[in-house]
Amino acid sequence: MALRTLILLILFSLPASYTIADEKLTAYQALQQYDFPTGILPKGIVAYELNTDTGEFSAYLNGTCNFAIDSYQLSYKSTIQGVISQGKITNLQGVSVKVLFFWLNIVEVIHDGDDMEFSVGIASANFPTDNFFESPQCGCGFNCNHLNTLVSSI
């Protein structure tokens, strides 16, 4: 009886920030729990860590990830870090965008209704949330079918 009570006390005293491995969400599902569309991360996240108490997170790719979407060149390092809360990511590291001839780090992302705001610190840009329902693929973004057609025609 004392052993059962001790086990129950230990289980109930574990911090809520730890989850059982079988119940762990994918990085994309975790984003959705914080009101973000999955498409702000590229396909290929192989692992992630999230402290639900502080919001600190790290997401991991097998390597760097670069692609173009419309007139924007984006680059993700193999490790992406930041602090996530409901509708807001701050202290973001590992994501950059090419503006004209310069690479700028995206440091904050805010989801506000139908808009996503991306900040590089000195400036920000808004885009419709609908643009981020699908995750881009490293190397080709959303234009992968065109790339596959080119390769198969050679």
Side-chain angles (χ1 to χ4, degrees):
M1 181 76 166
L3 180 60
R4 185 179 345 165
T5 304
L6 179 62
I7 292 172
L8 287 173
L9 280 172
I10 291 170
L11 287 175
F12 286 119
S13 65
L14 287 175
S17 60
Y18 296 102
T19 59
I20 299 172
D22 292 340
E23 295 178 15
K24 187 171 183 180
L25 303 172
T26 67
Y28 307 99
Q29 291 168 325
L31 275 176
Q32 290 176 318
Q33 286 197 327
Y34 287 92
D35 195 31
F36 280 100
T38 58
I40 65 170
L41 283 178
K43 292 179 182 176
I45 298 294
V46 294
Y48 78 98
E49 298 167 359
L50 171 63
N51 182 322
T52 56
D53 291 334
T54 65
E56 293 176 341
F57 73 88
S58 297
Y60 305 99
L61 293 158
N62 278 328
T64 58
C65 176
N66 301 295
F67 54 88
I69 298 178
D70 296 328
S71 62
Y72 295 96
Q73 291 283 329
L74 291 152
S75 180
Y76 288 74
K77 291 184 178 176
S78 58
T79 301
I80 305 154
Q81 297 177 308
V83 178
I84 191 167
S85 59
Q86 200 64 29
K88 190 172 189 176
I89 298 174
T90 57
N91 301 329
L92 185 60
Q93 298 173 25
V95 183
S96 55
V97 60
K98 189 173 185 181
V99 178
L100 298 175
F101 303 107
F102 304 101
W103 283 96
L104 302 173
N105 294 322
I106 297 174
V107 296
E108 184 175 80
V109 182
I110 297 172
H111 182 202
D112 186 18
D114 293 335
D115 289 321
M116 299 288 298
E117 179 183 329
F118 295 83
S119 172
V120 294
I122 57 172
S124 63
N126 290 350
F127 300 93
T129 300
D130 294 355
N131 292 359
F132 301 93
F133 289 148
E134 181 184 348
S135 292
Q137 186 172 321
C138 297
C140 55
F142 296 116
N143 200 17
C144 300
N145 287 337
H146 174 70
L147 184 63
N148 291 337
T149 303
L150 261 166
V151 170
S152 65
S153 67
I154 296 177

